[in-house]
Amino acid sequence: IILLRNNYQRQKANSKLKQAYQQLRSTQSQLIQQEKLASLGQLTAGIAHEIQNPLNFVNNFSEVSIELVDEMNEELAAGSWQSAVEIANDIKQNMEKINHHGQRAATIVKSMLQHSRSSSGKMTPTDLNALIREYVNLSYHGMRAGKDPINVSIELDLDKNMGQVPLIVEDFSRVIVNICNNAFDAMRSVETQHAASLFVRTKKYDDSIIIEIEDNGPGIPDAIKDKILQPFFTTKKGTEGTGLGLSITNDIVKAHGGEIRVESTQGKGTTFIILINNTE
């Protein structure tokens, strides 16, 4: 009887432990999803500003083209064929510009949709430099449209020989956005002392790819430098963040067979270095 009772108690304890573990996993999944949604929300706020520029060009060139069509009809009615041909050439140039800026707006929307959708988990050959340009830009405009925007100069130094890199695009876009968001947050405290700057570099070697994202913020104190990639560690206050942004980033880079290194000097800035094996 004692043996049966002990077995029953162990089974009951194991059941409770399993249930508690499942609840913990569920809570973690919810928090990770909230962090992703917060990142998406920040980008969504900036998308209106980012997409307005090409739409302004589309509207302006369309209006001018309508006026040119009226002028061309007048020239044709007057028998001025040469003038009509010249106006037609102007209309064609406007149509080409409308197409260019329309494609730009479509690219921005595609990037937003790609960033928001669930991961396919599938590696596809990707133009890494183009991805970095797109998501650094989106992160910047998300920051500018959000709370406490700052002015930041952005310098890109991207290896022209980078080519296609196997990536899970939906996931890796979050890596760029999360690190840039973190850099912008850090540089808010130093903007009054000097101009805030973000430097993004890529370099391709025979067997590896390196991405560096450097800010000239206040740097990371030595006491917490080893903790910033840990889940739920955050220097933000209250409801400003869960501390999962860089943790998710670290997990994504590991899933790509890479690693993140952090170099930081207090008072000078921080550099996130992403190393990925080139398995193309």
Side-chain angles (χ1 to χ4, degrees):
I1 294 174
I2 295 174
L3 182 61
L4 290 173
R5 183 184 299 167
N6 289 339
N7 286 337
Y8 172 76
Q9 290 175 343
R10 279 198 297 269
Q11 290 175 359
K12 189 175 181 181
N14 288 338
S15 177
K16 288 183 178 179
L17 182 62
K18 185 177 180 180
Q19 184 179 4
Y21 176 73
Q22 290 174 342
Q23 290 176 345
L24 177 61
R25 291 294 300 270
S26 176
T27 301
Q28 288 176 333
S29 297
Q30 291 174 14
L31 286 170
I32 288 172
Q33 187 61 28
Q34 288 175 5
E35 184 72 22
K36 290 179 179 178
L37 289 173
S39 174
L40 177 62
Q42 185 173 4
L43 284 185
T44 303
I47 195 67
H49 179 277
E50 173 70 353
I51 206 171
Q52 191 62 51
N53 189 46
L55 288 180
N56 285 340
F57 279 108
V58 168
N59 291 334
N60 292 338
F61 284 120
S62 296
E63 291 174 3
V64 171
S65 295
I66 291 171
E67 295 174 0
L68 287 174
V69 169
D70 291 336
E71 292 182 18
M72 185 176 66
N73 288 334
E74 291 175 2
E75 295 295 337
L76 288 172
S80 301
W81 300 102
Q82 184 59 37
S83 296
V85 169
E86 292 175 358
I87 293 174
N89 288 333
D90 291 339
I91 294 173
K92 180 182 178 182
Q93 290 179 6
N94 284 355
M95 293 299 103
E96 289 172 349
K97 292 175 181 176
I98 288 171
N99 178 262
H100 169 76
H101 291 290
Q103 291 293 334
R104 171 61 183 150
T107 298
I108 295 169
V109 173
K110 180 181 177 182
S111 297
M112 281 298 301
L113 293 174
Q114 198 165 51
H115 186 76
S116 64
R117 70 167 60 108
S118 299
S119 171
S120 65
K122 183 179 179 181
M123 294 268 191
T124 56
T126 304
D127 185 336
L128 177 62
N129 287 346
L131 182 146
I132 287 175
R133 287 192 196 95
E134 196 68 41
Y135 287 99
V136 169
N137 198 37
L138 285 175
S139 176
Y140 172 75
H141 284 292
M143 177 275 293
R144 290 290 300 164
K147 182 181 178 183
D148 300 326
I150 60 174
N151 294 315
V152 179
S153 66
I154 298 176
E155 296 185 23
L156 303 179
D157 181 12
L158 309 179
D159 191 334
K160 295 179 180 179
N161 298 317
M162 181 60 65
Q164 301 285 307
V165 178
L167 297 173
I168 304 172
V169 177
E170 302 91 340
D171 288 347
F172 208 81
S173 65
R174 293 190 176 98
V175 170
I176 305 304
V177 168
N178 286 344
I179 294 179
C180 287
N181 286 349
N182 195 70
F184 294 142
D185 286 341
M187 288 187 286
R188 281 190 175 91
S189 63
V190 299
E191 192 193 19
T192 56
Q193 303 171 32
H194 56 254
S197 299
L198 185 74
F199 307 90
V200 183
R201 296 177 284 269
T202 62
K203 187 66 179 176
K204 181 177 182 180
Y205 296 95
D206 291 338
D207 57 352
S208 63
I209 289 164
I210 296 178
I211 304 167
E212 294 183 354
I213 302 177
E214 176 186 355
D215 67 67
N216 64 346
I220 303 171
D222 291 337
I224 66 172
K225 194 178 295 184
D226 295 333
K227 301 177 182 179
I228 60 171
L229 298 178
Q230 296 177 4
F232 305 110
F233 179 82
T234 180
T235 57
K236 297 179 181 179
K237 300 177 181 179
T239 58
E240 291 179 356
T242 62
L244 281 170
L246 290 178
S247 173
I248 292 172
T249 299
N250 192 33
D251 289 343
I252 292 171
V253 172
K254 285 181 178 179
H256 283 77
E259 63 174 305
I260 297 180
R261 298 176 184 173
V262 182
E263 296 181 354
S264 185
T265 303
Q266 284 193 263
K268 292 186 177 181
T270 300
T271 303
F272 281 82
I273 305 169
I274 302 169
L275 298 95
I276 299 177
N277 291 329
N278 183 17
T279 56
E280 186 180 9

